[in-house]
Amino acid sequence: MLHELLLALLGHPGDIFVLHIPTQPTDADKSAGGNLPPRGSIQLAPDLPIAEVSERHRLNEIASIGYDYYVLERFVEEEHDSAFTALGDPKDATNTPSLYRRALATGLQEVLHKYSTAVLRVEQEILRDPGAPSMPLSRVQYHLHDFLVLLPALHQLLREVLGGGLR
């Protein structure tokens, strides 16, 4: 299950860790801006027979940053794509990307690179000794502890930027 968790951490849900997007925006979504979609998450599939409630909670807590990564990565890709599109027609002022948004995307890209490197380190540690017992979730949390706080905060910042229509 750890390999599926690693995929979820990089924004790739599957059968074990599924994408969950509520149908109704929360109050926080509404206050961040009416045109934003509800904030989703990547969670352990509810029909999986995991015995311990605490283990399910910990897995959901760790996997939730996979959704933050996914949203931040999409923003970075869109901003870089819009910058390349604008280069194609320099006379078209309506397609000129915002320098502030490009700077934000560049900063996010650096953070996301460090995050994906940390996830890779977890995978390397798992693969280092395939005969060893499974890596404890506390060890995964240890490797990603900075990002468990940072990615949700950056995602919220991005929601505020996009919700405020800032260019």
Side-chain angles (χ1 to χ4, degrees):
M1 183 184 310
L2 282 177
H3 293 288
E4 288 82 5
L5 176 61
L6 295 176
L7 285 171
L9 287 169
L10 293 174
H12 301 286
D15 293 333
I16 295 178
F17 291 94
V18 296
L19 180 62
H20 172 71
I21 299 179
T23 55
Q24 297 295 320
T26 64
D27 292 335
D29 293 330
K30 292 175 186 173
S31 67
N35 59 347
L36 290 176
R39 190 182 191 296
S41 64
I42 294 179
Q43 300 176 350
L44 195 60
D47 57 344
L48 285 178
I50 300 263
E52 299 294 325
V53 175
S54 61
E55 183 180 13
R56 177 176 287 278
H57 176 73
R58 184 173 276 181
L59 284 166
N60 284 336
E61 181 182 10
I62 296 169
S64 68
I65 62 173
Y67 182 76
D68 298 317
Y69 176 84
Y70 172 81
V71 170
L72 295 169
E73 184 181 48
R74 293 299 160 275
F75 172 76
V76 168
E77 288 175 3
E78 289 172 9
E79 285 303 311
H80 287 299
D81 288 348
S82 70
F84 287 121
T85 302
L87 290 175
D89 188 7
K91 296 178 185 174
D92 186 5
T94 60
N95 283 342
T96 304
S98 165
L99 291 176
Y100 297 112
R101 287 173 59 129
R102 282 183 32 205
L104 176 61
T106 301
L108 289 174
Q109 187 176 29
E110 290 178 25
V111 172
L112 294 178
H113 176 72
K114 290 179 183 178
Y115 170 74
S116 60
T117 301
V119 173
L120 177 62
R121 268 191 257 122
V122 171
E123 182 180 33
Q124 288 172 337
E125 190 171 318
I126 292 170
L127 295 175
R128 188 171 300 132
D129 190 7
S134 182
M135 177 186 285
L137 291 177
S138 59
R139 185 81 176 150
V140 175
Q141 277 184 311
Y142 169 76
H143 282 289
L144 302 175
H145 72 281
D146 291 338
F147 299 103
L148 289 169
V149 175
L150 182 60
L151 290 186
L154 290 174
H155 183 187
Q156 183 59 36
L157 172 68
L158 180 62
R159 290 178 61 80
E160 290 175 16
V161 167
L162 297 177
L166 301 175
R167 291 275 314 144

